[in-house]
């Protein structure tokens, strides 16, 4: 799931998307265990949310247009 949040440089904070919370902005999917949620900055500098070896939309009840909250530390 690609957000419209453009991030430049290193970022760390708490990300919330509906009931899903992710406490670390990772470098890649491989930074987390299989089946765990991950947030990272993609090659276009956009914040992306996913599940390693899975589909984040399969665990979210929220749909298109759901707000994403990022609290930067």
């Amino acid at each position: 799931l690609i957000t419209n949040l453009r991030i430049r440089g290193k970022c760390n904070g708490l990300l919330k998307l509906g009931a899903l919370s992710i406490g670390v902005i990772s470098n890649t999917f491989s930074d987390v265990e299989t089946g765990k949620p991950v947030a990272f900055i993609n090659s276009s500098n956009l914040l992306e949310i996913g599940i390693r070896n899975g589909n984040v939309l399969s665990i979210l009840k929220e749909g298109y247009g759901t707000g994403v909250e990022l609290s930067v530390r």
Side-chain angles (χ1 to χ4, degrees):
L1 181 109
I2 301 173
T3 71
N4 64 350
L5 297 174
R6 189 167 302 279
I7 309 289
R8 297 189 189 270
K10 197 84 168 153
C11 177
N12 201 3
L14 175 64
L15 179 130
K16 291 185 179 182
L17 172 63
L20 179 66
S21 292
I22 301 173
V24 174
I25 308 300
S26 300
N27 292 317
T28 66
F29 277 103
S30 63
D31 288 344
V32 300
E33 295 177 22
T34 297
K36 299 291 183 186
V38 61
F40 66 96
I41 301 165
N42 69 20
S43 61
S44 297
N45 294 322
L46 294 172
L47 185 65
E48 192 165 336
I49 304 163
I51 300 290
R52 182 168 178 192
N53 297 339
N55 184 338
V56 72
L57 297 178
S58 68
I59 66 164
L60 291 176
K61 293 181 174 41
E62 293 75 13
Y64 180 80
T66 299
V68 174
E69 180 182 324
L70 176 62
S71 302
V72 179
R73 294 183 212 153

